[in-house]
């Protein structure tokens, strides 16, 4: 039987505020254990949390960027559960009145765009980190992350494959980076994904029973966890079993998930309004203010790259798929007067080098202006495209501008006729067979001879001039 | 899970007490359970009096104090010294709070 996979996501994103959500401790990552804590974030008796205004602004930004309606009135609630990562024995979150609701994000999938619904976005606090000691009888706790502000983004069950889920997370991450509210570093846990998944026979209307996989922290593990869990559920159903609603832990190393079901009954969080915190009112004026502070979002930017810079749809999509890459492109494009050539360099050699080095666009070690200048060098005929690739490699290694590299390495195009004629003569006398072939009318042989001459000049020969001189020299021989 | 619906008097059973005690991680003796059944019933029937009032025109109260938007600016101040934070911990190791092993 053919099955359909139904996926909904819950994405937790750490906001990049300087201080925590309810106290003035730093949110810096790392740091010695338990040095970024105070009586408030560890829930000592008698303390009073006060909401960080920036958290509301950032969450509203996320809501607006994800096309949500922003609640004029919202409140915070206590979610009660006992687990030592949470010293208060409750997490402050939002229950029935979240800040943002009913939005959507469009993703690119095979065969066009697809709209993924956003159920809600709410604010809450992060928990501490548990570590098991060597003898495995105790658990050690570092509360530095406790109270770091989070938004939780809950989607509708609109995704139908691991690829769609991946595309959604990539789009979401891109948007959040554009609006600059989180660094979204999955490996550091600042963007974590829970996957809700069920399967149903194709054509069936009702959803099947779903399971939840928690805290997936890389795109790769999201894809693998989804594929594995879908397969598991289908196998259970095919063999006559039933799916149990449960939380499962994904083991990325072993590539399998485990049931996390404990003896206890299902969680009953007993939410109630947080009495220490006042309701949040986002009036029209404040909402408009935040809206005006939003930068251009990926979709708008993509369209502008097509209409403004005349880039093909393909180039524009890839460039705007990462804010850092798009910024880099734009900074170079405005300085070069040749946006398409800049785009070609970025999508070609720059991306290749980044890939080889395992680097991201934000790690490019030279300013965008250098790329603009490199393009100019090619446009002015100072260096050839082949040499430009070489210069680019060096720009990744050394802190030098392209002109300096060209000069130091002696890479300028050789347009000196005398010098080139010498090269041409040498190539002709060394390649009698090809000269013969050329005379017999083989065009390929001409290309080969050009290649040899280029090699001789280490790629520096002015290609037009070289072609002309070689042709002339061969004609002479013909006579 | 159970909910208290408007106008429906809820009977507190031993199971209810055991369920709530488990959520609160409380170990109760049989006598205590009996006592809490009576206490809880009293509390709930007391609160149930509210249902005699017509509240259809009254918005739900999310907070008893009519103040909104109490914020602080996003400013970092010094955290507490680690030693002070760990001072009252019943058990600690390597600058961390220590608890019996937990696996969810
Ligand atoms: Zn604190």
């Amino acid at each position: 039987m053919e099955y359909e996979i139904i996926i909904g996501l819950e994405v937790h994103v750490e906001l990049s505020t300087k201080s925590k959500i309810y106290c003035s401790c730093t949110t810096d990552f790392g740091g010695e254990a338990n040095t970024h804590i105070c009586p408030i974030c560890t829930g000592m008796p008698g303390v009073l949390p006060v909401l960080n205004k920036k958290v509301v602004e950032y969450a509203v930004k996320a809501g607006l960027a994800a096309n949500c309606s922003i609640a004029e009135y919202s409140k915070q609630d206590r979610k009660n559960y006992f687990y030592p990562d949470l010293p208060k024995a409750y997490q402050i979150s939002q229950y029935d009145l979240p800040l943002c609701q009913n939005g959507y994000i469009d993703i690119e999938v095979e065969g066009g765009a697809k709209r993924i619904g956003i159920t809600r976005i709410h604010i809450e606090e992060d928990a501490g980190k548990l570590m098991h000691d060597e003898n495995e009888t105790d658990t050690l706790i570092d509360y530095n992350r406790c109270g770091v502000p989070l938004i939780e983004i809950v989607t509708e069950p609109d995704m139908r494959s691991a690829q769609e889920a991946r595309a959604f997370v990539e789009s979401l991450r891109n948007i959040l980076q554009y609006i600059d509210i989180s660094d979204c570093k999955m490996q550091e846990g600042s963007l974590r994904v829970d996957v809700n998944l069920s399967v149903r026979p194709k054509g069936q209307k009702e959803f099947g029973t779903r399971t939840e996989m928690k805290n997936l922290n890389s795109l790769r593990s999201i894809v693998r966890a989804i594929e594995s869990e879908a397969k598991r559920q289908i196998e259970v159903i095919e063999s006559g079993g039933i799916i149990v609603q449960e939380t499962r832990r994904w083991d990325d190393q072993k590539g399998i998930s485990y049931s996390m079901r404990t003896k206890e009954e299902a969680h009953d969080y007993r939410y109630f309004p947080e009495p220490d915190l006042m309701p949040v009112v986002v009036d029209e004026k404040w909402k408009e203010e935040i809206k005006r502070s939003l930068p251009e979002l990926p979709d708008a930017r993509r369209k502008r790259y097509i209409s403004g810079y005349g880039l093909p749809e393909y180039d524009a999509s890839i460039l705007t798929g990462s804010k850092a890459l798009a910024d880099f492109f734009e900074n170079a494009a405005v300085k070069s007067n040749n946006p398409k050539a800049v785009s070609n360099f970025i999508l070609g050699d720059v991306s290749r080098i980044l890939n080889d080095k395992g680097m991201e666009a934000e790690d490019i070690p030279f300013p965008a202006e250098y790329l603009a200048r490199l393009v100019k060098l090619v446009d002015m005929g100072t260096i050839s495209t082949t040499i430009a690739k070489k210069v680019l490699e060096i720009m990744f290694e050394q802190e030098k501008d392209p002109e300096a590299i060209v000069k130091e390495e002696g890479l300028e195009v050789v347009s000196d006729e005398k010098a080139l004629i010498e090269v041409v003569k040498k190539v002709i006398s060394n390649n009698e067979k090809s000269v013969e072939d050329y005379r017999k009318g083989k065009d390929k042989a001409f290309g080969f001879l050009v290649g040899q001459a280029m090699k001789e000049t280490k790629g520096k020969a002015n290609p037009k001039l070289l072609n002309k001189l070689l042709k002339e020299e061969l004609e002479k021989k013909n006579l | 899970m159970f909910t208290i619906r408007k106008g429906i008097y809820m009977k507190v059973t031993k199971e209810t007490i055991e369920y709530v005690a488990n959520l609160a991680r409380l170990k109760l003796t049989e006598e205590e359970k009996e006592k809490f059944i009576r206490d809880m019933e009293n509390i709930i029937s007391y609160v149930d009096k509210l249902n005699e009032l017509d509240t259809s025109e009254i918005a739900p109260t999310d907070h008893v104090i009519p103040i909104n938007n109490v914020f602080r600016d996003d400013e970092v101040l010094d955290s507490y010294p680690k030693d002070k934070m760990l001072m009252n911990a019943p058990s600690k190791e390597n600058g961390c709070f220590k608890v019996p092993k937990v696996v969810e």
Side-chain angles (χ1 to χ4, degrees):
Chain A
M1 195 188 291
E2 238 193 294
Y3 288 87
E4 188 176 33
I5 307 170
I6 314 291
I7 302 162
L9 301 178
E10 288 165 29
V11 185
H12 289 88
V13 179
E14 277 186 359
L15 300 177
S16 53
T17 55
K18 293 190 199 80
S19 64
K20 291 187 178 179
I21 183 167
Y22 302 118
C23 66
S24 304
C25 290
T26 177
T27 57
D28 276 353
F29 190 76
E32 199 187 320
N34 295 309
T35 54
H36 298 169
I37 61 174
C38 73
I40 295 174
C41 51
T42 51
M44 299 290 179
V47 296
L48 193 64
V50 184
L51 180 57
N52 184 340
K53 191 176 183 186
K54 199 134 240 170
V55 171
V56 179
E57 283 172 13
Y58 280 10
V60 170
K61 267 190 178 183
L64 291 171
N67 308 293
C68 290
S69 52
I70 307 302
E72 198 191 304
Y73 180 92
S74 89
K75 69 172 169 68
Q76 293 163 91
D77 302 273
R78 289 189 184 178
K79 178 183 181 179
N80 298 279
Y81 64 91
F82 289 103
Y83 199 60
D85 63 356
L86 210 60
K88 297 198 293 287
Y90 59 83
Q91 178 193 33
I92 304 177
S93 180
Q94 294 194 285
Y95 182 51
D96 54 341
L97 297 174
L99 260 178
C100 321
Q101 286 189 85
N102 300 326
Y104 62 85
I105 288 176
D106 290 330
I107 60 168
E108 293 290 324
V109 292
E110 246 178 275
K114 178 168 177 176
R115 183 155 291 185
I116 307 298
I118 304 289
T119 316
R120 58 185 279 158
I121 301 176
H122 68 251
I123 55 174
E124 60 183 31
E125 54 180 341
D126 207 350
K129 188 179 160 207
L130 304 183
M131 297 156 286
H132 304 298
D133 76 349
E134 297 109 41
N135 55 28
E136 294 275 322
T137 57
D138 300 304
T139 294
L140 301 180
I141 313 161
D142 171 8
Y143 286 125
N144 280 354
R145 302 315 288 163
C146 207
V148 169
L150 296 176
I151 50 172
E152 180 177 336
I153 300 152
V154 183
T155 78
E156 293 292 301
D158 285 347
M159 285 150 279
R160 294 291 175 270
S161 69
Q163 284 65 40
E164 286 186 13
R166 186 197 164 102
F168 175 81
V169 174
E170 282 178 327
S171 288
L172 177 68
R173 187 174 60 174
N174 194 26
I175 290 170
L176 298 176
Q177 283 172 341
Y178 265 76
I179 62 176
D180 203 18
I181 62 163
S182 171
D183 61 20
C184 296
K185 284 185 183 155
M186 294 186 87
Q187 68 279 13
E188 283 182 8
S190 49
L191 191 151
R192 311 185 295 254
V193 178
D194 300 345
V195 173
N196 289 305
L197 187 149
S198 64
V199 299
R200 66 180 171 197
K202 225 167 191 153
Q204 182 182 303
K205 266 232 157 87
E206 303 78 39
F207 288 134
T209 306
R210 67 184 163 86
T211 62
E212 185 179 12
M213 284 179 293
K214 278 199 176 295
N215 278 342
L216 302 166
N217 58 6
S218 74
L219 290 170
R220 185 173 161 268
S221 62
I222 293 169
V223 170
R224 291 176 71 216
I226 288 173
E227 284 169 352
S228 148
E229 177 60 9
K231 189 165 164 267
R232 186 191 71 85
Q233 289 192 13
I234 291 168
E235 278 167 9
V236 168
I237 293 169
E238 294 272 284
S239 62
I242 49 162
I243 305 297
V244 187
Q245 184 166 348
E246 61 181 353
T247 303
R248 300 181 68 84
R249 183 205 307 276
W250 171 250
D251 185 326
D252 204 40
Q253 257 156 16
K254 295 193 180 120
I256 42 173
S257 63
Y258 299 97
S259 174
M260 278 167 72
R261 192 162 250 271
T262 51
K263 289 165 280 183
E264 269 173 66
E265 50 266 73
H267 282 302
D268 179 350
Y269 292 125
R270 293 149 294 143
Y271 282 96
F272 65 85
E274 166 57 76
D276 286 342
L277 292 162
M278 299 302 145
V280 176
V281 171
V282 181
D283 59 16
E284 204 52 36
K285 186 171 161 274
W286 193 13
K287 194 174 90 179
E288 281 309 312
E289 242 174 71
I290 298 172
K291 204 178 226 167
R292 275 198 303 275
S293 77
L294 280 180
E296 187 184 31
L297 293 172
D299 209 36
R301 205 168 195 186
R302 186 176 53 83
K303 287 178 183 141
R304 187 169 56 80
Y305 280 12
I306 297 168
S307 61
Y309 289 114
L311 292 186
E313 163 88 44
Y314 174 83
D315 292 36
S317 289
I318 295 189
L319 289 171
T320 54
S322 142
K323 181 175 187 290
L325 206 59
D327 286 344
F328 191 82
F329 162 77
E330 191 136 20
N331 290 335
V334 291
K335 293 203 170 93
S336 83
N337 296 322
N338 191 348
K340 179 60 181 148
V342 170
S343 170
N344 287 347
F345 264 111
I346 293 177
L347 300 189
D349 291 290
V350 172
S351 299
R352 178 182 52 78
I353 296 169
L354 288 176
N355 259 336
D356 289 351
K357 292 183 184 288
M359 287 159 71
E360 300 285 339
E362 42 267 65
D363 307 326
I364 296 174
F366 51 86
E369 195 203 333
Y370 282 15
L371 182 63
R373 277 152 67 177
L374 184 67
V375 168
K376 256 188 192 155
L377 288 174
V378 176
D379 288 349
M380 291 185 315
T382 313
I383 56 173
S384 65
T385 334
T386 325
I387 291 295
K389 286 173 199 268
K390 197 170 160 188
V391 174
L392 191 65
E393 301 266 359
I394 298 171
M395 280 158 61
F396 268 91
E397 300 300 332
Q398 301 173 12
E399 270 182 58
K400 284 179 193 153
D401 61 45
E403 293 85 354
I405 295 169
V406 168
K407 206 166 199 182
E408 275 173 37
E409 310 270 326
L411 297 171
E412 290 102 334
V413 160
V414 177
S415 298
D416 175 359
E417 274 206 44
K418 264 191 193 158
L420 285 182
I421 285 178
E422 286 311 307
V423 171
V424 165
K425 281 185 173 157
K426 190 176 164 198
V427 167
I428 287 175
S429 68
N430 285 349
N431 295 282
E432 281 177 18
K433 170 101 180 45
S434 300
V435 174
E436 190 75 19
D437 287 347
Y438 173 74
R439 250 183 256 153
K440 284 179 189 153
K442 285 193 185 161
D443 285 345
K444 250 196 191 160
F446 184 76
F448 174 78
L449 291 168
V450 171
Q452 291 301 303
M454 267 296 179
K455 217 171 168 182
E456 200 65 36
T457 61
K458 299 199 169 69
K460 292 186 290 182
N462 178 334
K464 259 192 194 151
L465 187 60
L466 180 70
N467 268 309
K468 181 178 153 255
L469 295 175
L470 183 63
K471 212 158 231 168
E472 283 172 7
E473 213 52 36
L474 285 167
E475 293 306 316
K476 271 188 211 164
K477 277 220 136 191
N478 245 349
L479 293 171
Chain B
M1 226 198 304
F2 56 87
T3 49
I4 299 163
R5 256 171 284 152
K6 194 174 169 177
I8 298 171
Y9 173 71
M10 209 194 75
K11 177 121 181 68
V12 179
T13 63
K14 198 172 138 190
E15 285 73 41
T16 318
I17 295 296
E18 284 170 348
Y19 178 80
V20 174
N22 179 42
L23 285 173
R25 303 294 188 272
L26 293 173
K27 201 176 256 172
L28 302 179
T29 64
E30 288 304 309
E31 294 86 69
E32 282 170 328
K33 285 179 196 167
E34 287 306 318
K35 180 181 181 301
F36 282 128
I37 290 177
R38 288 192 305 276
D39 285 359
M40 282 255 252
E41 257 174 351
N42 279 336
I43 293 166
I44 287 170
S45 61
Y46 178 70
V47 174
D48 235 26
K49 272 195 190 312
L50 286 177
N51 287 331
E52 293 164 15
L53 298 169
D54 177 15
T55 55
S56 57
E57 298 289 310
I58 297 167
T61 305
D62 298 308
H63 209 287
V64 290
I65 307 169
I67 304 173
N68 300 319
N69 291 2
V70 177
F71 298 125
R72 36 172 281 273
D73 288 330
D74 183 26
E75 273 171 12
V76 175
L77 299 175
D78 284 343
S79 291
Y80 264 48
K82 185 171 75 175
D83 297 341
K84 233 177 175 173
M85 291 307 302
L86 284 157
M87 197 170 67
N88 293 324
S91 184
K92 54 200 149 191
E93 190 179 307
N94 295 331
C96 289
F97 294 84
K98 188 160 103 175
V99 296
K101 189 182 174 183
V102 281
V103 178
E104 200 183 12

